Structure formats: C-alpha cells, structure tokens
Amino acid sequence: MMDLSAYRDIFIEELNDQLERMDQSLLALELSPSVELVQTLFRAAHTIKGSASTMDFRELSDLTHEVEYALEWVREKKPEMTSKLIDTLFRSLDVMKVLRDQYIRGEAYADFRAVVREIKDLIQNPAVVGKLKVPQLQPAESIVAQVAVVSGKQLLSIHIVLEQKCMMKAARYHILRQRIEDICGTVVATSLMEKQSDAENEDDHYSQFIIITATSKDPQQLNAELSSDSDIHVLEIDPYMLESNEIAATSAPVELISEKEQTKASVTTAATSGPEEKVKTAQPTVRVSVERLDHLMNLVGELLIDQTSLADLSGSGARKEPSSLIQSISGVSDHMGRVIKELQEGVMKTRMLPIDQLFSRFPRLVRDLSQKLGKDLELVIQGGETELDRMIIEELSDPLIHLIRNSADHGIESVEVRAEHGKPSKGRITLTSFHEENHVVIRYSDDGKGIDGEKIKASALGKGIISEEQAARLTTQEAVHLIFEPGFSTASSVSEVSGRGVGMDIVRSQIGRLNGIIDIDTEVGVGTTFTIRLPLTLAIIKGLLVKVSGRVLILPMYNVAEIVRISPEDIQMIQGQQAILNHGRIVPFHRLCDKLNYPRTDRKSKTIPLVIVRSVDKIAAYAVDEIIGNQEVVIKTLGTYLGAMNHLSGATILGNGKVALILDASYLVSH
C-alpha cells in the first residue's frame, strides 16, 4: 500500500482548479447554453472523480459520480436548461466544496444523500452506461512506455465511444487505431469492450475502446484532430500514469519516470491513503511559468560571473594600479547592481497572480444574491489580468465580498423602484483593476441609489457615534466616510445578507492592514464608487527614511501623502488638539517622538519637517527631526519574542549594517 501524503497538496490544488472551472462553466451555461460548456463540465467532473477515487476520497468520488452522469444525461438528452436543473447542479457543486473543506480540515464528512436524490429525481434515474476500465499494461508494454517517457514523451489514455448509428464498428476501430498511431507515433496498448454473451453482435465489441499512446503531441491539439470524426460520440483524452506494479514488473528502475510526468499525473496513482494524512492543511503554492524560472536562472548565472570577476580582481589587486583597480571594481559593482535589481523584480513576479483568480469567485455570489433578494443584478469584470501579490489577493476577498453584499442589499434598488426612476431593470456592479505607478487600483462601483451624506450624518448622530458639534463641522463628503465606523448601519432591519453594521468596518480594517487607501465617490440617485489603492507587494517596499530622536525609522512611501516644512506658528489648537491646515483641510498634528515615547531633541532649524501620512480614509501629520530620503527595503518580521508591537510592521537592515524599524502607518493614524 503506497503512502499518498506526498500527493495530497497536488490533489487539493487540482481539485480547487476543477471546482472553480465548474463554477464558471455553470454560470456561463445558465446565460448561454452550449454543448462545449456541458463538455467542459463533464471533463472537470470526470477528472475530480478519478483523482478523488485515487486519493481514497470516496465521499467526493461517489457524489461526483452522480454529477457526472447527470451531465452525461444533459449531454445525451439535451434538455432545456431550466432554473431547476441549474440550481441542482449548483447545489451539487456546493456540497462538493463542503466535502473538500472537510477533507482539508480532517473533519467528518457531510451527508450528501439529499442532493444525490435530487439529481436522480431530476434525470428520472437514467440507465447507467457501462464504461471501460483503463487497461493495465503487460510487462512488455510497460518497457515500451517507460522508454518513451525517458525520451521525453508523455503517456495519454484516449477513450473513444462510437456513435450508435456507426456501421461496421470493427472497421472504424482499426481505422482510428491506425490514425492515432500515425499522429502520435506509438500505440502502447488497447482495451476493448468484453463480450457479454456469444449471441452478442461482434460489432458491439468495438463500440468503445481505450488506446494508450506515447506522444509528444499536446492533448488539446490531439483532441482537435480526432474530434472532427463524425463517427466519434465521446472522446476523452487524459494523462496516463504507470502503476507501481507495472514498473516493478520490469527490470527498469522507478527513476525512469521523469519528474515532469510524476507532477502531471501523480494524483492518479492507485493506492490507499491513511487517515492521519487528512489532518494536514494544504500548503499555499504559486504556479510559476518555466519562462520566468529560466530568466531567474540566467540572472543567477550573471551573478556567478561577477563573483568570479571580483575574485580575479582580488587576486591581482596587488599588481594593479589603484585607479585601474577601483575602475574595474566599480564596473563590476554597477553590473551586479543592475542584475540584483532585475533579480529582485523577477523574484517578486513569481509571487504575482492575476487578480482574476479573485474576481472569478464573485459572479456566483452575485447570482445567488440576485435570487435571494429578488433583484436583477449584473456583474461586469474588467482588468482581470492585472497582477498582484498572492498574499494581498487572499486578504482582499472579505472586503470585496462585503462591498458586493452591501451594494446588492442596500445600494441597488428593486426592479420596480428602478423603473420609477427611469433606470434599466438590471442593476450593474462593476469591478475594475489596473496598475497605477507602483500601486494596483481596484475600482468597485454600482449604479444604485448612492449614499446620502445627510442621512448618514443623522444616523451616526442618533447612534451616538458623533456629537452634534462634530456633525455640524462635517461636510457631506466627510459624513459619507462614517459608514466605516464600527457598529454603523442605516438598515432598518437586519437581513440575512447585510445590515448588521459590521461589514464596512471590516472593509476599512482589512484594507488598512494591507497598507491600502480607500476613497468613496457617490451621488444620490446615480450610484457609488469605491476606489482601493494597494501596494503591489508587502515583501519589498519603498520606504521614507526619517530621523527621530537620533533613531532612523522608516515610513512606507505608499502611506506618505506629502512632505512639507512648517513654522511653529502654523500649528493651531482646535478643540484641545494640535492641528495644521493643509490645502484647506484640517489635519491632526503629532510629534512622532511623542507618539513613540522617545525623548525630544533640541531643534536648531526654524522650520519643522513634516510627513503627512494617510491610511485608508484617515490622515495625520507627524513632525520628525530630519528627512533622510527614500529607498527600497526588504521587510523582515519581528517574530513573537518582542510581544505585541502594533505600531511596527517589521524591520530592515540598512546599507551600513544597522537595523531600522518600519512603522505601521495605519496603526499610527488610527490610534
């Protein structure tokens, strides 16, 4: 019995991909039914069933088996795509996701018999079509297969079911076998239907068959070449993995199977997994293109050449003129600097993922909200190819979900109200992303009723969030930002979707943790737009170096709104708090040394260097002793030894070898 724990993470990653593919295909099928989408769903279900069965995940395998035959029924009978059919498939998919989550956490599996009954009732218990098993190779065939794999070819299993009306199936089988051999080069093995009785028609023996082939052809290209045959009813092409007993049956060592083939089909190795491996959690992974890895390897090669050059200069230094030696070292140093810069960018790109991996989760959410709320909603996604750090993408999910739920429940009107105001019956939610300098901008907008600043102000006043004096000073635009305050809500009742007064507070806190900034642009009766600006990555940042009480500290540049110098007379007292006037706006004033409990230093200059820091929707001005400049720094975590240091996001090592602390701007501004 083989231990499959090494394949678990690969299985979970593939499972997530296939479930996401099914989700998107079902959404597309509901909007525009097509044979291609049904085929995509069928292939995804077939892959999940095979992989789950291999990993001894019988619960998922059994459920997916029913889903697969439901899809086969759809493909064969071509029924009308009713809402009941689509909803049943979506519910099945939801249960599959629940089983996946329970598998990852090592929990007891949910009872899925109800959804199985629903599937069977829907398709009226169609007869189960017998399917061929993938053949097990004989020793001689295994040798041929292993030699092909070592030479760089891949093994494919080609499953073909001929049309029922196909005449002379035996002849068609031989023609197709020869055609596959001509295209692929090597046919390793074949498997035919077993005869059920002597009275059975000989032709039925060839009604479906599996051909194992070794080829360098791409599976999609092969599928395109074979699917044009009108006598082929079903065509499935999957990777084929040599079983351990097939390898052991030959004198060839296990190492003959290349790493590439093991990675491609490791989840299809037949074995039984132990229960203890289910307790482990899936490790986060990032898929990196081979082209990017090759580029990084080339850069490392250039660094090795520079290292050799420095070693040569070190050895010949005593024999060279100092000026000539310095010039040579300077040239190598410049080249190393350029290579390291390019290497840094290359490594950062390996952490980047297209934001579409996040956006693609939301069409299903909007669909479900549309049905639950009885509203006609449409989600438009633009800029899904924009790349962002994987860690930021994962943290963005909750804030965007809260924005969508609030828009659907509170922002977008009902069909009747929209008709009264001359709006289209379908409410539109738009998600857009794009790069802007060193930031990623995510713009979320809806064409709903907008946010009424005066209504927000009155609600905040009634809940005691602000005083009457504060309310009098707030502009309409400033009042709109009160929706981010904890416990704030204008909903008259708590609904299943929203209205608990916690959603927008979560949005602000999550964006703040990502060192992001959020703005609101709203117009009553027209709609609302939230603009979120985020750093590309949290691993390497451009920081502003400042000196405070003799210490060098760093503020992230994407939180620095402005650097100014003021005179002491510019500091005013407003309601017992120091503040300055910046571009007509009152900004709270603090001395950074006081904020950090550092001793004050004697100031010789007549002006005060000031850094205006912004985080999410808040802003504050901090006085420092000296502005040193900005540079890129690598953030190092402080660990748990120092305890809770909320005002620090990490530390870095400067060029002189000294450690500089990196301040958490969002914490400073909000506390």
Side-chain angles (χ1 to χ4, degrees):
M1 187 177 294
M2 182 182 291
D3 179 17
L4 292 180
S5 58
Y7 303 134
R8 186 171 182 274
D9 288 345
I10 300 173
F11 164 65
I12 292 172
E13 184 178 352
E14 181 188 31
L15 178 58
N16 290 335
D17 288 345
Q18 298 297 341
L19 289 174
E20 186 67 30
R21 184 174 290 113
M22 290 185 72
D23 218 336
Q24 294 178 21
S25 298
L26 267 177
L27 286 166
L29 187 68
E30 184 177 32
L31 296 174
S32 179
S34 73
V35 176
E36 291 77 13
L37 288 171
V38 174
Q39 186 65 22
T40 299
L41 284 163
F42 183 85
R43 282 197 299 267
H46 183 73
T47 301
I48 291 173
K49 184 182 79 169
S51 300
S53 178
T54 298
M55 298 299 291
D56 199 30
F57 191 177
R58 294 198 180 105
E59 291 77 9
L60 181 60
S61 177
D62 292 346
L63 175 57
T64 314
H65 174 80
E66 301 296 337
V67 174
E68 182 183 17
Y69 279 112
L71 291 167
E72 188 171 13
W73 173 75
V74 171
R75 189 172 62 179
E76 296 286 339
K77 303 298 183 180
K78 297 180 176 57
E80 182 185 354
M81 289 296 164
T82 61
S83 59
K84 182 180 179 182
L85 171 59
I86 296 294
D87 289 344
T88 300
L89 292 174
F90 268 126
R91 274 191 289 274
S92 305
L93 187 58
D94 289 341
V95 177
M96 290 166 68
K97 291 177 181 178
V98 169
L99 291 174
R100 172 203 59 191
D101 295 341
Q102 291 168 336
Y103 174 83
I104 292 173
R105 294 192 296 263
E107 298 173 353
Y109 296 121
D111 187 352
F112 55 87
R113 286 176 294 182
V115 75
V116 170
R117 285 195 298 271
E118 194 174 346
I119 293 172
K120 288 184 175 180
D121 290 344
L122 183 70
I123 62 179
Q124 300 174 346
N125 300 310
V128 176
V129 180
K131 284 199 171 183
L132 276 174
K133 291 184 178 179
V134 177
Q136 185 171 332
L137 302 185
Q138 298 301 313
E141 295 169 340
S142 295
I143 293 174
V144 173
Q146 292 182 63
V147 170
V149 169
V150 171
S151 66
K153 294 183 178 180
Q154 61 177 322
L155 299 179
L156 296 177
S157 167
I158 305 173
H159 182 198
I160 293 176
V161 180
L162 296 176
E163 289 282 358
Q164 191 66 33
K165 61 183 180 181
C166 174
M167 305 295 293
M168 301 177 66
K169 292 184 176 66
R172 175 53 62 186
Y173 157 73
H174 288 291
I175 292 171
L176 285 171
R177 187 187 185 284
Q178 185 61 49
R179 186 178 174 194
I180 290 171
E181 187 170 4
D182 292 340
I183 295 172
C184 299
T186 305
V187 170
V188 178
T190 58
S191 175
L192 299 170
M193 289 283 290
E194 292 182 5
K195 292 185 67 174
Q196 302 298 319
S197 66
D198 293 335
E200 185 180 356
N201 189 339
E202 180 69 20
D203 228 22
D204 292 337
H205 183 50
Y206 297 91
S207 61
Q208 62 172 307
F209 47 89
I210 292 177
I211 296 176
I212 306 299
T213 181
T215 181
S216 54
K217 282 269 187 182
D218 180 76
Q220 291 184 345
Q221 184 182 356
L222 182 58
N223 187 294
E225 292 190 39
L226 293 176
S227 59
S228 59
D229 194 310
S230 60
D231 283 330
I232 294 179
H233 177 58
V234 175
L235 174 63
E236 296 174 357
I237 302 176
D238 298 306
Y240 181 85
M241 178 68 179
L242 287 171
E243 304 282 351
S244 56
N245 58 342
E246 292 173 340
I247 298 170
T250 73
S251 59
V254 176
E255 285 80 1
L256 280 172
I257 299 181
S258 68
E259 182 180 346
K260 178 180 177 182
E261 292 299 315
Q262 285 183 345
T263 303
K264 183 180 294 186
S266 59
V267 294
T268 59
T269 307
T272 307
S273 59
E276 67 279 356
E277 58 102 9
K278 292 186 181 181
V279 180
K280 301 176 185 176
T281 56
Q283 295 298 318
T285 58
V286 176
R287 292 182 178 179
V288 183
S289 69
V290 176
E291 184 180 354
R292 282 187 177 177
L293 292 178
D294 288 342
H295 178 60
L296 293 179
M297 185 60 74
N298 290 336
L299 293 174
V300 171
E302 291 192 40
L303 283 179
L304 290 174
I305 293 171
D306 288 338
Q307 182 190 32
T308 304
S309 300
L310 286 175
D312 290 344
L313 289 171
S314 176
S316 62
R319 300 188 299 273
K320 282 193 172 184
E321 289 290 330
S323 58
S324 174
L325 183 62
I326 291 172
Q327 186 176 1
S328 299
I329 292 175
S330 177
V332 175
S333 175
D334 289 345
H335 184 260
M336 285 185 70
R338 290 193 298 272
V339 173
I340 290 172
K341 176 70 174 176
E342 198 171 345
L343 186 62
Q344 172 193 320
E345 292 174 355
V347 171
M348 293 312 303
K349 284 181 180 178
T350 63
R351 292 174 56 93
M352 298 293 185
L353 292 174
I355 203 168
D356 189 55
Q357 294 205 9
L358 172 64
F359 285 0
S360 61
R361 306 173 195 173
F362 299 139
R364 171 70 190 282
L365 173 64
V366 171
R367 174 195 179 271
D368 291 346
L369 289 172
S370 179
Q371 290 190 341
K372 189 173 292 185
L373 298 170
K375 297 179 180 180
D376 194 0
L377 304 176
E378 174 189 23
L379 176 64
V380 178
I381 294 175
Q382 299 169 341
E385 70 282 355
T386 305
E387 289 191 332
L388 190 58
D389 191 292
R390 176 186 60 81
M391 186 170 70
I392 296 178
I393 285 179
E394 290 173 356
E395 295 294 328
L396 262 180
S397 179
D398 281 349
L400 291 178
I401 285 174
H402 283 293
L403 288 177
I404 291 172
R405 294 171 75 91
N406 273 280
S407 280
D409 201 14
H410 302 311
I412 296 178
E413 312 92 332
S414 65
V415 174
E416 295 78 17
V417 173
R418 291 179 68 85
E420 289 175 9
H421 290 83
K423 289 185 174 182
S425 61
K426 181 172 289 188
R428 172 171 289 194
I429 296 172
T430 306
L431 261 177
T432 307
S433 66
F434 55 90
H435 284 120
E436 189 177 86
E437 297 178 349
N438 291 324
H439 294 75
V440 167
V441 178
I442 297 173
R443 192 160 286 152
Y444 173 91
S445 61
D446 66 56
D447 63 349
K449 58 187 177 185
I451 302 174
D452 189 335
E454 293 303 319
K455 184 180 177 182
I456 295 291
K457 192 187 298 185
S459 178
L461 190 60
K463 293 177 182 293
I465 295 175
I466 58 173
S467 64
E468 291 189 9
E469 189 178 352
Q470 289 173 317
R473 291 200 316 270
L474 284 177
T475 65
T476 302
Q477 184 61 30
E478 289 171 338
V480 168
H481 282 79
L482 289 172
I483 65 172
F484 292 122
E485 294 300 318
F488 180 84
S489 176
T490 58
S492 56
S493 62
V494 173
S495 72
E496 190 179 344
V497 175
S498 61
R500 293 173 176 82
V502 294
M504 300 309 290
D505 178 35
I506 289 177
V507 171
R508 181 172 68 176
S509 61
Q510 285 281 83
I511 298 301
R513 278 200 291 270
L514 296 172
N515 290 322
I517 295 169
I518 186 167
D519 286 319
I520 307 175
D521 182 22
T522 185
E523 185 177 345
V524 177
V526 176
T528 303
T529 298
F530 293 87
T531 302
I532 302 170
R533 287 179 172 82
L534 296 162
L536 284 173
T537 178
L538 298 179
I540 297 178
I541 65 167
K542 181 167 282 190
L544 177 68
L545 278 66
V546 298
K547 187 169 283 188
V548 178
S549 303
R551 299 169 174 85
V552 175
L553 301 172
I554 296 175
L555 282 162
M557 280 298 294
Y558 40 71
N559 290 120
V560 176
E562 195 174 352
I563 300 171
V564 297
R565 286 185 174 272
I566 63 169
S567 63
E569 293 76 21
D570 293 328
I571 304 171
Q572 304 174 31
M573 292 296 294
I574 300 177
Q575 292 188 338
Q577 182 180 347
Q578 289 185 319
I580 65 166
L581 199 63
N582 180 255
H583 302 300
R585 180 179 180 180
I586 297 172
V587 178
F589 171 86
H590 307 278
R591 296 184 186 275
L592 195 52
C593 58
D594 294 345
K595 195 81 170 176
L596 302 175
N597 293 320
Y598 292 165
R600 290 193 183 187
T601 55
D602 294 333
R603 184 173 53 83
K604 297 177 182 179
S605 174
K606 293 182 180 180
T607 58
I608 303 173
L610 209 62
V611 181
I612 298 178
V613 180
R614 185 180 182 192
S615 178
V616 193
D617 62 327
K618 294 187 175 181
I619 194 167
Y622 289 94
V624 299
D625 297 337
E626 182 185 346
I627 304 290
I628 299 174
N630 63 71
Q631 69 178 57
E632 287 189 334
V633 296
V634 179
I635 300 177
K636 301 289 185 182
T637 57
L638 297 174
T640 57
Y641 181 76
L642 296 175
M645 305 288 285
N646 294 328
H647 64 291
L648 300 176
S649 60
T652 192
I653 300 174
L654 301 175
N656 58 11
K658 292 184 178 180
V659 174
L661 298 175
I662 301 171
L663 300 175
D664 187 333
S666 62
Y667 185 85
L668 291 178
V669 171
S670 57
H671 290 76

